[in-house]
Amino acid sequence: MKPLPRPLSPLPCWLAYLLKWTALASVVALLAGSASALFLFALDTATRWREGHPAIIWALPLAGFAVGWVYWRFGRAVEAGNNLLIDEIHDPTSAVPLRMAPLVLAGTVISHLFGASVGREGTAVQMGGTLADQLSRLPRLAPGDRRVLLMAGISAGFASVFGTPLAGAVFGLEVLVIGRLRHDAIFPCIAAAILADQVGLAWGVHHTHYAIGIVPAITVWTLGAVVVAGIAFGLVGMAFAGATHALSARTKAWLPYAPLRPLLGGAVVAVAVWALGTQRYVGLGIPVIVEAFAQPLPHWDWLGKLAFTVASLGSGFKGGEVTPLFYIGATLGNALAPLLHLPFGLLAGVGFVAVFAGAANTPLASTVMALELFGPAIGPYAALGCVVAYLFSGHCGIYRAQRGAASKTHG
């Protein structure tokens, strides 16, 4: 075997690279972290208002129509959201319009204020990517630098909205192509994610703490039980992605006029909330997620959240998919824990990240997120659950623009 050739680039080139991307990542982090902080503060205010005025749910159809009309009139170029960012990384064409950031920020806060079941990751990622892409107009940047800037913006947005800098960095590298990482963007993504998280904390952002309790010792039974649970998590993640895409396609075929779709979806959600007599399945659902780690919950909570989220996102409400997936995974794990003779906290934690891993095809980022949120003790179980969920979720995911480098299994 011939020895590897020695690198030809002198040290100053690598130093220039580090200085260049440290500066760019710092700016991206400042912009994305500040935008995420503003978004989280607005989201907390909207959530408190909705919880204090539950009758506002009846205005959800009108809110959906208003957001749909604004996007139809001013935001058609950015309506694809996360998929637009991923497409621009794969096949760069033109800079992402700056209006994506304020449109998705306002649209998501309005969705939460009036009671749609949506998340927050999509908003933070779109704001981070949009703001980062504006830097591509700077002189003396190579064509490939724009791809890296977009990836760094995605990582910064994800990291700052969840308080998980390492998971955010890996997410920006992993989400683009199933089964392949972009190693040329490792340093910018890590730097942007870590710094963006610190910017958010400097603004006073507080992230939810999840206590998983005691993690049992690894045995044949516990590993086998997590594998069984992982299969369920992967199938549910696949069902979520497929149902959301299918409903979106159906509503577009039935209602060509875009503002009517969230109007109809909002009416369905409002009537469902009235019929069930609870707002347990709207908004972020953080209190229910916290409960899932500590006590038994109704076995159908995960299905209720899945249905409400599919109805909201599939009809055109703005927001993200990830926090609802955390809710679905944690409550499904809570329901499976007694059946598999595992602690509620453990299986809720594994489900929290594994359903996301299956739906987004990001098992590495999901595993790292478990380590950051729950501690290293859950690592082996989380890794096993995320990988199994990833394998059983098929090749369909929540991001249509995500590409597949190869089959998930060698065969």
Side-chain angles (χ1 to χ4, degrees):
M1 179 181 295
K2 294 182 179 180
L4 293 175
R6 296 181 63 184
L8 299 178
S9 301
L11 180 60
C13 291
W14 295 107
L15 181 59
Y17 173 87
L18 289 177
L19 292 175
K20 168 187 172 180
W21 282 109
T22 298
L24 290 174
S26 298
V27 177
V28 170
L30 179 62
L31 295 173
S34 299
S36 292
L38 173 63
F39 170 56
L40 290 175
F41 292 143
L43 198 58
D44 287 343
T45 301
T47 299
R48 288 195 300 269
W49 178 266
R50 188 195 74 242
E51 292 173 347
H53 305 80
I56 201 173
I57 189 73
W58 291 111
L60 182 61
L62 296 178
F65 181 88
V67 172
W69 184 86
V70 169
Y71 264 85
W72 176 77
R73 181 68 178 82
F74 302 105
R76 297 189 196 186
V78 299
E79 191 172 9
N82 291 346
N83 292 299
L84 173 61
L85 299 180
I86 296 174
D87 277 332
E88 284 297 322
I89 295 172
H90 288 311
D91 301 305
T93 56
S94 58
V96 177
L98 183 59
R99 62 181 176 272
M100 174 187 271
L103 281 176
V104 73
L105 171 62
T108 305
V109 172
I110 290 173
S111 296
H112 280 279
L113 175 63
F114 289 91
S117 177
V118 294
R120 51 189 174 174
E121 140 276 339
T123 305
V125 165
Q126 289 173 51
M127 291 192 300
T130 301
L131 295 172
D133 198 35
Q134 307 313 305
L135 300 179
S136 64
R137 296 184 170 92
L138 294 174
R140 302 184 66 180
L141 286 181
D145 289 344
R146 181 167 178 253
R147 290 188 174 95
V148 179
L149 275 172
L150 282 167
M151 295 171 68
I154 290 172
S155 295
F158 191 98
S160 56
V161 81
F162 292 124
T164 53
L166 298 183
V170 178
F171 178 81
L173 297 166
E174 187 180 25
V175 72
L176 305 178
V177 181
I178 299 175
R180 181 182 298 168
L181 295 178
R182 284 285 301 269
H183 290 84
D184 58 328
I186 288 179
F187 176 75
C189 286
I190 290 178
I194 293 174
L195 293 174
D197 178 53
Q198 292 300 309
V199 169
L201 295 176
W203 280 113
V205 169
H206 297 283
H207 299 288
T208 305
H209 174 71
Y210 302 99
I212 62 170
I214 298 175
V215 176
I218 294 177
T219 65
V220 174
W221 173 261
T222 57
L223 293 178
V226 169
V227 169
V228 172
I231 295 172
F233 296 146
L235 295 176
V236 169
M238 179 173 63
F240 176 89
T244 302
H245 293 323
L247 181 60
S248 178
R250 291 288 182 88
T251 55
K252 288 179 180 178
W254 294 339
L255 299 170
Y257 184 53
L260 291 179
R261 300 168 200 155
L263 173 70
L264 176 61
V268 170
V269 171
V271 171
V273 168
W274 170 78
L276 294 175
T278 179
Q279 295 201 12
R280 187 174 181 84
Y281 306 120
V282 300
L284 288 176
I286 297 296
V288 179
I289 297 177
V290 174
E291 291 176 9
F293 287 83
Q295 62 192 46
L297 300 179
H299 292 168
W300 55 84
D301 269 353
W302 67 272
L303 186 58
K305 187 63 173 178
L306 187 150
F308 273 80
T309 307
V310 168
S312 298
L313 292 175
S315 62
F317 281 94
K318 300 304 173 183
E321 302 92 345
V322 174
T323 304
L325 288 171
F326 292 163
Y327 183 121
I328 294 167
T331 52
L332 177 57
N334 182 280
L336 293 175
L339 302 177
L340 298 175
H341 303 288
L342 291 176
F344 287 113
L346 172 66
L347 214 51
V350 174
F352 184 106
V353 293
V355 172
F356 166 49
N361 294 305
T362 54
L364 299 180
S366 303
T367 301
V368 174
M369 173 172 273
L371 297 173
E372 290 185 291
L373 291 178
F374 312 132
I378 200 175
Y381 293 118
L384 182 62
C386 288
V387 170
V388 172
Y390 165 76
L391 293 174
F392 277 82
S393 65
H395 285 79
C396 172
I398 55 178
Y399 306 118
R400 285 185 177 276
Q402 189 179 54
R403 300 184 180 182
S407 172
K408 291 183 178 182
T409 57
H410 181 67

